Amino acid sequence: MLSMTDIHTYYGSIHALKGVTLTVNQGEIVTLIGANGAGKTTSLMSVSGVTQPKQGKIVFLGEDITKMTTEKIVAKGITQVPEGRMIFPRLTVRENLLMGAYLRNDKDGVKADEEKVYELFPKMRERMKQHGGTLSGGEQQMLAIGRALMARPKLLLLDEPSLGLAPIVVENIFEIIQRINREGTTILLVEQNAQMALHIAHRGYVLETGAVTLEGPAKDLLENPKVRSAYLGLD
């Protein structure tokens, strides 16, 4: 579904991605793990067109999207849930959700997808008329995921969905991520909680200082001594 080949991305003079190559197959959950500053978020930003690569190629469903604008990439079927949720605090929950469907004009489909979000996140129905900024951290994360789903993505990019959340909320969020995947959405997941990420993912990539240093089936990475020591806190 997605391939990144020899991607080099810069922030000014900072060389953030140094030849990243990875693939995501249809129906998979693929996770990127690594320390802060390793290039995980930049990889997602490069896919979604927020930070366009200076070198390399990104192909989505057979089409080169490397230099496309973010709006066009969203229209092609890629949606990102940003780190820190980034919901609209002064809009209601429902208004936030409808913002996710801003490129769509199929009113019946939008209404049906809104109902699906409420089924997936019952608290969003209860909080429908509340301003987003009044929600708890976990509820804001649910809202951010729900907003992304309103775009009806083929590929969902998730950036640190567990950040700042209580363990019980994290478990709930990860169960929902698996459900979204089972229902047909392919997922590229960036997550500091490597243990949780590798337990739900099919495959994984380890990024260090802007480059892929390890890759393979998630179950193999869970058993890899380097991964266990550096990212799982195990001997």
Side-chain angles (χ1 to χ4, degrees), residues 4 6 11 38 45 50 55-57 63 72 77 89 94 108 115 119-121 124 152 162 177 182 190 200:
M4 301 175 69
D6 193 30
Y11 292 110
M45 294 291 201
V50 178
Q55 182 182 325
K57 191 173 182 179
E63 185 173 6
K72 287 183 179 177
R94 184 164 191 266
D108 290 343
E115 280 300 313
E119 181 193 341
L120 199 60
F121 303 109
M124 295 301 96
R152 199 175 277 182
S162 77
I177 291 169
R182 286 195 301 268
V190 161
I200 70 164

Side-chain angles (χ1 to χ4, degrees), residues 12-223:
S13 61
I14 298 170
H15 196 175
L17 297 185
K18 303 168 184 173
V20 168
T21 295
L22 61 84
T23 59
V24 181
N25 299 314
Q26 191 157 351
E28 284 189 310
I29 298 176
V30 173
T31 188
L32 309 181
I33 63 173
N36 283 332
K40 306 185 302 296
T41 292
T42 306
S43 296
L44 297 191
M45 294 291 201
S46 297
V47 172
S48 61
V50 178
T51 54
Q52 289 189 341
K54 284 194 175 179
Q55 182 182 325
K57 191 173 182 179
I58 302 174
V59 176
F60 178 63
L61 293 173
E63 185 173 6
D64 188 343
I65 63 168
T66 316
K67 299 300 181 184
M68 275 188 192
T69 63
T70 298
E71 184 177 355
K72 287 183 179 177
I73 289 170
V74 172
K76 295 289 180 186
I78 299 176
T79 309
Q80 182 166 340
V81 179
E83 181 181 352
R85 285 137 343 232
M86 304 293 285
I87 56 120
F88 299 101
R90 295 185 180 182
L91 298 184
T92 66
V93 165
R94 184 164 191 266
E95 288 167 341
N96 267 275
L97 292 177
L98 293 178
M99 284 296 290
Y102 80 100
L103 285 180
R104 297 175 59 181
N105 53 23
D106 56 322
K107 289 185 179 179
D108 290 343
V110 169
K111 187 175 178 62
D113 285 345
E114 185 183 351
E115 280 300 313
K116 285 182 186 175
V117 170
Y118 294 144
E119 181 193 341
L120 199 60
F121 303 109
K123 284 188 177 180
M124 295 301 96
R125 190 190 299 277
E126 296 171 18
R127 309 276 195 271
M128 191 190 299
K129 295 181 181 179
Q130 276 185 230
H131 288 152
T134 67
L135 303 179
S136 69
E139 289 166 348
Q140 288 189 16
Q141 186 63 65
M142 293 173 191
L143 179 56
I145 294 172
R147 179 182 61 186
L149 293 176
M150 289 297 293
R152 199 175 277 182
K154 299 180 180 78
L155 174 63
L156 182 63
L157 310 178
L158 289 172
D159 195 354
E160 302 284 8
S162 77
L163 188 68
L165 302 182
I168 191 165
V169 179
V170 172
E171 284 187 25
N172 185 28
I173 292 291
F174 272 78
E175 286 170 6
I176 288 164
I177 291 169
Q178 287 179 288
R179 178 176 168 184
I180 291 167
N181 177 247
R182 286 195 301 268
E183 292 178 357
T185 304
T186 304
I187 294 172
L188 180 57
L189 168 68
V190 161
E191 180 53 60
Q192 282 252 292
N193 188 334
Q195 183 95 11
M196 291 285 285
L198 290 171
H199 268 106
I200 70 164
H202 299 93
R203 292 187 301 112
Y205 293 83
V206 178
L207 268 66
E208 294 180 12
T209 58
V212 174
T213 56
L214 280 172
E215 62 180 277
K219 64 181 189 311
D220 291 352
L221 292 177
L222 275 169
E223 298 303 321

